[in-house]
Amino acid sequence: MAKPRAILKRRSSIQNIAKITKTMQMIATAKFKRANDRAVGARPYTDQLTALINELSSAAGEFQHPLLEAREPKRVAVLAIASNRGLCGGYNTNIVKKTAQVRQGILDRGLDLTLEVSGKKPAAVLRFQKVPIDKTYLHFEDKPTFEEVNEVATDFMNRYEAGEIDELHVVYTKFLTAARQEAVVEKVLPLEPPEGKEGRDYLYHPDAASILRDLLPRSVRLHVFQAFLDAAVSEQTARMVAMKAATDNAVEMIKDLTMLYNRSRQTLITTELSEIIGGAAALE
Amino acid sequence: MSDNLLKVAVITPEGAAFEGEATTVVVPAFDGEVAFLHNHAPFVGALGAGELRVIPESGDGQHFFLQGGVVRVADNEIAILAEQVESLDALDVEAEQRRLAEVLGTPVIGSLEALDAKQLAVDAARARRRLADRRAGNSNS
């Protein structure tokens, strides 16, 4: 049986681990609330913008816009969004898997691929797998601001309009419910033509088509922003769940080790006692 | 007199910047200012850079700087969608002056679109400078 002192040492190191994971869980919970508020806060904007685009497109009639124009794809851009930090369960792994799958699909269609990755972790794994990455973004932390995302999205739109890329797909973790997040891929560019919806009889200033032309790039930016927000919420949820499991496991292990320690200490005492008794018996 | 109020919501991708009621709302349209009162006809308009004023029944009201976006008015509800909304208090004359100089100094390369983009940026910077100036109490603009 193991030495009691060694067991004690091991138990105290696991107690430290439990403390750390417990703290991380609490931090993730706090961050999750903030990230969730932001994701929920963006919803009214999304709803209003979508409604407006639909109404405008039915008022504008025949409408042409470079972002709506679907061409025969030659070069497809993929933006994968995961995190800079680990210790969040399968969060990053799922994104990497999904990205690999999407990548294979595009290569199988015989198309060129531009792969851009946000997050240190997925970038490291993909690099290890010898997947070529064209660009890595590392500055998105747990609070992606609209301004930061705006830059990335506008860059993609410029390249799309210049004909450098023909499609843009975003791979991210969609936050479905607190218990369910899923790695998904969504096509951002070209835009789906808006489903026209008969709206009110508005006065347009200047005219429906011009306003629509101004709104379409906004909806692209918003789509990308929403993906970043969802990814941020999902990351914190994933970390919360992973750290909860780690804490539970550590507590379980501490219990087992305590038992083992008591038992081995008892064995030691018993052995010692029987030696003394044996020694005394030999003297008689 | 709650029957002549407009419900106002200033919405950005990062959440609502303002929600409340007002008697008059003045928005910076792309070609000048537009004011809305109770029972305005349904309206959708593109916004430019400038000052948004939300004026309640009494008092001074709320002032914001916004740049681009869209306003929709229907049934005495007015929704302002903008990507960038700032409180006027955040504007500082010197910083805005620097920004304006910087924008004016950027060269236009290539196309007409670049020229348009620069014009927009200059207009926005001018509007910011003017508002910052006015807030600081100078009336020379």
Side-chain angles (χ1 to χ4, degrees), chain A residues 55 146 200 202-203 205 218, chain B residues 14 31 42 44 46 72 75:
Chain A
E55 285 177 357
F146 188 75
R200 299 284 297 266
Y202 289 106
L203 299 170
H205 183 73
R218 286 173 203 276
Chain B
E14 304 207 16
D31 60 349
V44 173
R72 187 238 293 259
D75 305 324

Side-chain angles (χ1 to χ4, degrees), chain B residues 27 45 62 71 80 118 122:
Chain B
V27 303
Q62 301 253 5
V71 58
I80 293 153
K118 178 176 174 175
V122 169

Side-chain angles (χ1 to χ4, degrees), chain A residues 60-81:
Chain A
E62 263 315 288
F63 183 76
Q64 295 283 325
H65 191 277
L67 294 178
L68 284 169
E69 191 180 287
R71 358 174 229 258
E72 194 55 41
K74 283 197 204 68
R75 180 167 271 276
V76 179
V78 173
L79 173 65
I81 307 170

Side-chain angles (χ1 to χ4, degrees), chain B:
Chain B
M1 287 233 301
S2 59
D3 51 337
N4 61 356
L5 289 176
L6 288 161
K7 265 176 85 176
V8 189
V10 182
I11 309 167
T12 73
E14 304 207 16
F18 176 81
E19 268 178 294
E21 291 182 328
T23 50
T24 312
V25 177
V26 184
V27 303
F30 71 101
D31 60 349
E33 289 192 325
V34 184
F36 297 102
L37 296 170
H38 187 71
N39 277 341
H40 197 286
F43 181 94
V44 173
L47 300 179
E51 185 187 18
L52 163 70
R53 299 200 288 281
V54 181
I55 304 160
E57 215 166 342
S58 60
D60 198 25
Q62 301 253 5
H63 299 231
F64 302 94
F65 173 79
L66 61 82
Q67 188 177 336
V70 65
V71 58
R72 187 238 293 259
V73 184
D75 305 324
N76 290 319
E77 284 184 19
I78 164 164
I80 293 153
L81 302 183
E83 287 178 0
Q84 196 190 354
V85 177
E86 287 165 69
S87 167
L88 277 195
D89 299 333
L91 299 182
D92 167 68
V93 182
E94 272 174 39
E96 295 314 324
Q97 184 65 48
R98 268 203 303 280
R99 184 197 291 254
L100 178 60
E102 193 180 301
V103 173
L104 280 171
T106 23
V108 174
I109 302 157
S111 57
L112 279 173
E113 282 92 55
L115 192 64
D116 283 348
K118 178 176 174 175
Q119 193 55 48
L120 276 178
V122 169
D123 287 348
R126 283 223 169 93
R128 291 178 73 106
R129 220 285 309 271
R130 196 173 58 238
L131 291 173
D133 243 13
R134 208 183 54 210
R135 201 186 66 82
N138 307 332
S139 51
N140 57 359
S141 53

